[in-house]
Amino acid sequence: MSPPNEVTTPPSADACADAGDTAWAEINGQRRTLPADRSRTVVAFLREDLGLTGTKVGCGQGDCGSCSIVVDGEPRYACITPVAQLDGCRVLTVEGLAESSRTGARLQHAFLAHQAVQCGFCIPAMLTAAAAAIDAGRVTDRATACAAIDGVLCRCTGYRKIVDAIVEVATGADSRPLTPPPETGINVGQPLTRLDGPCKVDGSQHFGADGIPADALFLRAVRSPHHRARFTLGDVDGFVQAHPGIVRVFTHADVPGRNLHGIAPAYADQPVLAESETRHRLEAVALIAGEREAVAALDLADFPVTWTPLPAVFSVEDAAHPDSPQLHASRVGNQLIEGRVKRGDAAAAIREAAHVVSGRFSSSFVEHAYLEPEAGWARRVGDTIEVRSPTQAPHPHREDLARVMGVAPERIRVVPTAVGGGFGGKLDMTVQPLLAVAAWHLDRPVGIVFTREESMATSTKRHPARIVSTLAADEQGLLRAVEFEGDYNTGAYASWGTAVANRVPVHAGGPYRVPHYAARARAVHTHITPAGAFRGFGVPQTTMSQEQLIDELALHGGWDPLEFRARNALRPGDSLPTGQVLDDSVGMVACLDALRPHWIAARERAHERNGAARPHLRYGVGMAAFFYGCGNTASPNPSTVRIGLRPDGTLVLHQGAVDAGQGANTVIPQIAADALGVPITRLHIVGADTHLTPDCGRTSASRQTFVTGRATFLAGTALLRRVRSLLDAPADAPVVFGPGWVGVRSDDGTGAETGSDTQADGTGVARRLSLADLPVDVHGYAIAAEERFDPPTVALNAAGQGRPYATYAFGAQMAEVEVDIETGRVRVRRVVAAHDVGRMVNPTLLEGQIEGAVAQGVGLALMEQYLPGRNDNLHDYLIPTVHDVPEVETLFVEAPTAIGPYGAKGIGEPALVPTAAAILNAIHHATGARVREAPATPDVVLRALAATGRGVHARSTRS
């Protein structure tokens, strides 16, 4: 590391004049000496030498823009800019934005006020890029605002709220006010500004790579260059001795406990470090620890390992062949698991039906593409290992790490950092076991930061699907049967393949009444990085097939696609193919009703455009409906929340729900405040930490608002009951919290309650209890409540009968597209999304989730296709930019669930489920061509057009 940087007075105004040998730059208004090694990247200098970690590293190749800073008024990528190019220049990072940019403070305010912040990883770059463009006068409208940030990717927000904020500042419009916590009244239902937003706009929020101690050793994995290979390690001790600064090499023999980990102990099959054979490209076989510079400088071609490549299988079809290599000896035919749901006689119903449609569909691997690569650090504290990383599952990781380390769970502490995007991809352990093993053996903290290639080549993906399905309806337009078979490529290890294979058969019938049903899903192993959880657990892929067939069935019978869906939509009291009878929280019909006027207008608009458009452009409108079970499938799914009252009167909320950008850090306190009847500002919030917060389960399956929110509500109301009991007050007496005391008001608020043993004061408190007079518990609380909520489910039997989820989200989306039939290019122009959320806890956070999900749905439908070993970077793997996202209008329906907190249900995953299907249906409406594989890239669309015989002469189907 370079010597400390000198801080002197700022340079002259002519900051970029020829400075000769002067090695300085003005950084955020301070003159800083540049390091002697001018070839170092600017981002390394800023982060490692100056501690300005607000500038992020998402790719290291200038592809994602997360490292954007301002140099002499222009945005620059700090990850590919050498320090030499800063000599004599003025540099602005997010940490100096408010003081050094004309518009910086207003931009930060606008981003918060518009709820433009989700995970926050890209936000410093968005702010600096926008500030540079606005200060230079280049932003005058939405188009130029988009141009200002088109070099910065975002995976969470869908960009729309970011653009709104930039336009507001650039045009001098009145600033939208923040929505502060109400001092009185109701918190639930309010568009409260994100509580963790300020640290995300000023650059102080720490993600996995930001808090690594200065004295930490760094780790680097030795990885297989082959999709499958046998290997032997040579003289690793000699390797250490030959490389100054390298202190140790770890192998599987250094794992103290079980050299396996996985989502569920029964299916744990992934080694921390492979023992003799690797099962996918870039799987780790050894771990090198050393000083940061020494580790970074290593040429791993010198590492003593011998590889013997072996035959590998990549497709489900090849993996199932009897002569194919078996990835796991106990899983015959490389099948991990099979899920089934059966009701009635689907085959017979199909034979007797008036209208029958069938199809084969396929989808590809899809990369999460969260902008924060996996990173973290760990240290040994006595006999405890502390691991800090961006995890979506702190307590499950603690349990798994305890097995890896061979210790009791209490000797593992997992502290989540901020999560720079997850979407399910940070549910599995990645850096965590590597850090734990190294920290166990070494006397210093250890850190690791994956490269973008490592992140993409070794992290989980969305499962590719191969689907064959048939739907049937009678002459009246009522669905009679669904037959569905899906094979899902689960990669080398189990990960969440079990969850996908069990969830898909429940959802393959869609949000419709289906009397005869047969659905089967298999998860099959191949020599590819594991496929895991990605916002929907297989349901978005499944919906792409089923909702296209619903459209085909409607067209076959001559029915409007929306009205056909409405006729068959689930209603309260209907039963699912699993036998579960739905309660009153079923908003499917209401969602379709909300969408209807938009649907009619959009179809008319498409008809008019097709009559007037250039011949090669065709416009179409499509829709898709869905339902989605909130929580784990037919298995325990609890969350536990603690609320305590300190002797000084401080109310403390312990909630371990990880916020991966979805808003748990704001929504859960909103629920807690209302349960307690206090302003949210009265709460001191303790976030996820396995030593400090109870287990709130994984941030997955759209469960945190529903499950942890309900546990929070129960804890708050339990604390009130405890207070009333101590004061011998009525069960409905209003509770008042004061400095060092707690009391109850009389019914009329005057304090004139009969039998009061305490004189009423001006607040109307009739009875008051001094908290200092009470003994404190092990957590230091005078009064506390800890409550657990586990949604009521019933395990599925062999026929898939049971109660897989306690409640379901419902909804429908409509997409308007433009198709160029000469090039095959599809542009999504507008999406209208109608969603049953049960109860809106924070409306603007819900909007942000839907807008971000729509952007991911555009990628799933049109461009995203992960090819193992071929596009492990954000240059070749394309995700939507600000120019690719459509206008999004959100329509909320509230069908409260009795067991949710104030009726709320989840939205994070449901929001993505129908988007791609609606886009594919819109392509058919525009061109008459049915696209049965995703993504619908231009070549795929052109093949579909050619198959219909339409090509450039395509005509729209009925409008």
Side-chain angles (χ1 to χ4, degrees), residues 107-125:
L107 269 173
Q108 289 170 327
H109 172 94
F111 270 53
L112 293 176
H114 284 267
Q115 299 280 33
V117 180
Q118 289 191 24
C119 86
F121 192 83
C122 73
I123 294 303

Side-chain angles (χ1 to χ4, degrees), residues 151 282 287 298 315 414 416 419 543 561 814:
L282 295 198
L287 187 64
L298 283 176
S315 69
V414 174
V419 179
T543 303
M814 179 197 81

Side-chain angles (χ1 to χ4, degrees), residues 463-529:
H463 286 73
R466 298 292 181 269
I467 291 169
V468 179
S469 186
T470 299
L471 274 63
D474 63 19
E475 291 181 349
Q476 287 72 45
L478 296 177
L479 275 172
R480 296 298 298 158
V482 170
E483 253 186 3
F484 174 93
E485 289 198 0
D487 287 335
Y488 295 79
N489 187 334
T490 202
Y493 298 109
S495 184
W496 289 89
T498 54
V500 168
N502 285 319
R503 182 178 282 267
V504 164
V506 176
H507 292 82
Y512 310 111
R513 297 186 298 269
V514 184
H516 300 280
Y517 187 83
R520 177 189 67 84
R522 298 190 307 155
V524 179
H525 287 297
T526 60
H527 289 103
I528 299 172
T529 186

